[in-house]
């Protein structure tokens, strides 16, 4: 019996409709939240705009080689996701090329969907373990392990949820984070109510910005929120 992956947000980049359908249905049935792209360029766009726990990447894409897609995602994503390559190219040279471009794991086609799920879970856990325990952005400092934050050397008192939101915004800087993504990271698919996020953002803004001259937390109209430094251009 395989446990589900309710907290995993997965991006699948695959042009084979049959394989894509099987993967999407299987992972969805086990609780994953999925985005899908059948072209490499679209996959790069999604990986750059959102934060994913795992990217599943086919090498044989019609518009751009999967190796180049892998390289660009690793360079452009605000929070670099682990990439699991799915391909029929299973020679040592092919695998070496994939790992050389930043792939984190490799699964040869055809594959067992149960193994795919297990590898997604393992990659996500490993990525979390390797996350830096100290985050900094300008005058803002975060200690992940202690859930402590400071700005300009002054401690910021945050709730656990407020800290999680702030860490997500720091990791995504300078890109904004959508309301839907923040909600998913905090509560998966079961947010307490429609005003819950708004309330936590209000409390975070009060703690992060009120004691200081310039606000860092900005609302991005019709999208979500982002952090802005003093020297950022308007």
């Amino acid at each position: 019996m395989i446990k589900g992956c309710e907290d995993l947000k997965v991006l699948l980049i695959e042009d084979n409709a049959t394989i894509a359908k099987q993967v999407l249905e299987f992972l969805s049935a086990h609780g994953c939240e999925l985005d899908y792209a059948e072209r490499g360029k679209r996959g790069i766009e999604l990986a750059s705009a959102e934060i994913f726990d795992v990217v599943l990447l086919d090498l044989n894409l019609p518009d751009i080689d999967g190796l180049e897609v892998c390289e660009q995602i690793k360079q452009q994503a605000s929070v670099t996701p682990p990439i699991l390559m799915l391909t029929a190219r299973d020679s040592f040279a092919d695998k070496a090329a994939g790992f050389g471009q930043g792939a984190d794991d490799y699964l040869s086609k055809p594959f067992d969907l149960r193994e795919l799920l297990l590898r997604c879970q393992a990659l996500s856990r490993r990525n979390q373990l390797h996350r830096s325990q100290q985050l900094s952005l300008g005058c803002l400092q975060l200690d992940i392990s202690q859930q402590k934050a400071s700005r300009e050397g002054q401690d910021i008192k945050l709730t656990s949820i407020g800290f999680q939101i702030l860490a997500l915004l720091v990791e995504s800087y300078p890109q904004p984070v959508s309301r839907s993504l923040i909600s998913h990271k905090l509560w998966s698919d079961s947010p307490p109510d429609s005003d819950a996020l708004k309330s936590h953002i209000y409390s975070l803004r009060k703690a992060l910005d009120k004691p200081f001259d310039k606000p860092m937390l900005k609302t991005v109209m019709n999208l979500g929120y982002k952090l802005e430094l003093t020297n950022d251009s308007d």
Side-chain angles (χ1 to χ4, degrees), residues 6-7 33 161 179-198 200:
E6 288 78 6
D7 295 331
E33 179 182 350
I161 288 181
R179 293 180 182 86
S180 60
L181 178 59
I182 295 174
S183 180
H184 174 76
K185 288 294 185 183
L186 295 178
W187 302 296
S188 188
D189 295 323
S190 302
D193 60 63
S194 59
D195 293 326
L197 179 57
K198 184 184 298 185
H200 287 294

Side-chain angles (χ1 to χ4, degrees), residues 122-182:
L123 282 172
S124 177
R125 285 196 301 269
R126 188 170 71 193
N127 195 49
Q128 289 297 318
L129 288 172
H130 290 172
R131 278 182 60 189
S132 173
Q133 295 300 299
Q134 302 292 329
L135 296 178
S136 63
L137 179 63
C139 61
L140 188 62
Q141 304 290 325
L142 274 69
D143 185 323
I144 300 298
S145 61
Q146 299 294 321
Q147 285 207 345
K148 293 183 178 180
S150 65
R151 178 176 174 181
E152 297 179 12
Q154 299 183 40
D155 289 340
I156 304 170
K157 295 183 179 180
L158 298 173
T159 64
S160 177
I161 288 181
F163 185 89
Q164 292 178 62
I165 296 173
L166 183 58
L168 186 59
L169 293 170
V170 170
E171 289 182 323
S172 301
Y173 176 85
Q175 300 300 321
V177 183
S178 68
R179 293 180 182 86
S180 60
L181 178 59
I182 295 174

Side-chain angles (χ1 to χ4, degrees), residues 27-100:
L27 293 184
S28 294
H30 284 80
C32 296
E33 179 182 350
L34 291 122
D35 275 341
Y36 169 60
E38 61 179 353
R39 295 291 186 271
K41 291 181 180 178
R42 177 57 178 159
I44 295 169
E45 291 174 359
L46 288 172
S48 300
E50 294 281 352
I51 298 175
F52 293 95
D53 296 299
V54 182
V55 173
L56 306 178
L57 173 62
D58 178 32
L59 283 186
N60 295 316
L61 298 169
D63 60 333
I64 180 173
D65 188 84
L67 292 176
E68 185 175 346
V69 174
C70 179
E71 181 180 26
Q72 290 196 35
I73 289 175
K74 289 292 188 177
Q75 292 176 349
Q76 297 179 25
S78 57
V79 179
T80 307
I83 294 179
L84 170 57
M85 287 190 167
L86 309 174
T87 180
R89 304 184 202 170
D90 58 0
S91 71
F92 176 81
D94 291 325
K95 293 179 180 179
F99 287 124

